[in-house]
Amino acid sequence: MNATRGELEASFTRAMIQMEKEYLGRGPEKANTMIIGDMVIVRLQGILTRAEIKLAESEHGRELIKETRRQLFESAREQMEDMTSTILGCNLVSVHTDVSTKSGERVIVLIVDVDMDERF
């Protein structure tokens, strides 16, 4: 039996939360995944630590947070490829992400090699 869109989105959300915990030591306060065509959009809310919130008070601090998190996230590319293949049954083409030091959230857009809408 094939998984529904909601089941796949929930599984992917759980995997992203686990990856955040493994790579950054803590997960988000809230997370959500949406599959739209060949895009997987993940929104992680409440990701900044107390130290990062304090650091975000200055422009230099905000730049440090963004750069550090970008580098950590890029080091997880192989794990994201595995998650995409295992959970969604397709290949990862590209990853786009940004962290808001104002709202404390990260948005991730993964482009995959299939139009997922055709599966549902």
Side-chain angles (χ1 to χ4, degrees):
M1 182 169 154
N2 292 335
T4 66
R5 179 187 306 266
E7 290 168 336
L8 289 177
E9 290 170 342
S11 292
F12 205 82
T13 298
R14 285 190 297 275
M16 287 300 292
I17 290 169
Q18 185 60 38
M19 187 181 83
E20 285 275 318
K21 286 180 180 178
E22 288 174 9
Y23 277 82
L24 301 170
R26 66 183 290 264
E29 293 172 5
K30 187 176 177 184
N32 189 31
T33 300
M34 294 171 285
I35 299 172
I36 304 168
D38 65 348
M39 295 184 297
V40 179
I41 303 166
V42 182
R43 182 179 180 197
L44 305 174
Q45 296 171 278
I47 65 164
L48 297 180
T49 64
R50 279 187 240 141
E52 287 172 323
I53 291 168
K54 183 69 177 162
L55 194 58
E57 292 175 2
S58 73
E59 185 172 339
H60 180 67
R62 290 187 292 273
E63 291 170 7
L64 284 172
I65 294 165
K66 285 180 171 271
E67 181 59 20
T68 301
R69 286 196 171 249
R70 183 193 64 76
Q71 288 183 18
L72 287 167
F73 195 76
E74 284 185 13
S75 71
R77 169 78 188 217
E78 188 175 321
Q79 188 171 350
M80 283 185 284
E81 288 174 351
D82 290 344
M83 288 168 30
T84 304
S85 174
T86 303
I87 297 168
L88 304 178
C90 55
N91 296 309
L92 183 61
V93 174
S94 61
V95 180
H96 312 274
T97 187
D98 193 22
V99 173
S100 170
T101 55
K102 185 173 184 173
S103 67
E105 66 184 9
R106 173 192 293 276
V107 174
I108 306 158
V109 179
L110 297 95
I111 307 299
V112 296
D113 65 348
V114 224
D115 183 341
M116 296 295 289
D117 289 340
E118 295 176 3
R119 294 186 176 181
F120 306 107

